[in-house]
Amino acid sequence: MIKRCCAIFVSAMLLFGCALAEVPHHSPEDYPRVDGSTATLPLSYALMQQVCGVSGEEAKIAITHTKTTQSFYALADGAADLLLVYAPEASALEYAKDQGVELLMQPITRDALVFLVNADNPVTSLSQEEAVGIYAGEITNWSEVGGEDRPIVAYQRVEDSGSQVMMRAQVMKDVEMMDAPTELRPSEMGELIDCVASYKNTANAIGYSVYYYAHNMYAQDGVRLLAIDGVSPSNETIASGEYPYCQDVYAVIRADEPEDSPARILFNYLQTEEGRDLIEAAGYVRLAEE
């Protein structure tokens, strides 16, 4: 499913040769149960490698992410200790509240929703209004946004996915998204990218994902990321907020997590300068210290 993780591991391991004064150390047996989003898996692997001294392959075997929304249910139910995660569906936060679980959510990096088209599509940028118009079903032909006379085939994600939550919150806001048939709602992010790259060998398709996944974890030669209002997504434009569809990514624990627990220690560590070094070395956007 994840084709480019090895490069992420190498990037993260560059950090290991540096002397980090505040790096926590735990045995694999004492390591907390870490869950989260698909696009934070490389960070989970790099964190376990650094804290436990295990190999990348050992970390891959030990760490499983159940995806954004489901991981919040796991944390509320006591099946996870620490999340590295995008914002979930509101229902997941409501579930935690109903269970009497208070959550601590701390931004640790930033990502963005990005739009993908086939590399043969001549369109290189959309306005925010055009992006909304396509997914509201009001713009149905590429010629309406400066492209060729081709119908637009607009892929979406399943409702509880992190990228679908971002799409509704960051792009559509109060505008209703058009309905999409099941075949245009891939359950996996990689599947959506594959569809955009190869849809009937034409340039009709458009879809969306999160930048880190599309750029670092599942980059495809047949896919191009669109600029929005002329601003291309990059670590720099996401860090500065110049690219419009940005959202924080969080470390999350239960508020009643003991101060000396491994989960609380890692939660705090990810907010330190050394933790930010690890996050940046793994290819994520570095947040400025507050």
Side-chain angles (χ1 to χ4, degrees), residues 8 10-15 276-284:
I8 305 298
V10 171
S11 163
M13 290 296 289
L14 292 176
L15 186 64
R276 284 187 284 271
D277 287 343
L278 173 68
I279 291 165
E280 185 177 27
Y284 296 84

Side-chain angles (χ1 to χ4, degrees), residues 33 49 126 152 264 287:
R33 296 167 297 175
Q49 286 176 258
L126 293 174
I152 296 174
R264 172 79 72 163
L287 291 185

Side-chain angles (χ1 to χ4, degrees), residues 35-38 65-72 85 157 187-188:
D35 202 341
S37 306
T38 300
H65 282 193
T66 60
K67 303 183 183 179
T68 299
T69 295
Q70 188 57 43
S71 70
F72 275 87
V85 70
R157 290 297 315 288
S187 61
E188 302 291 340

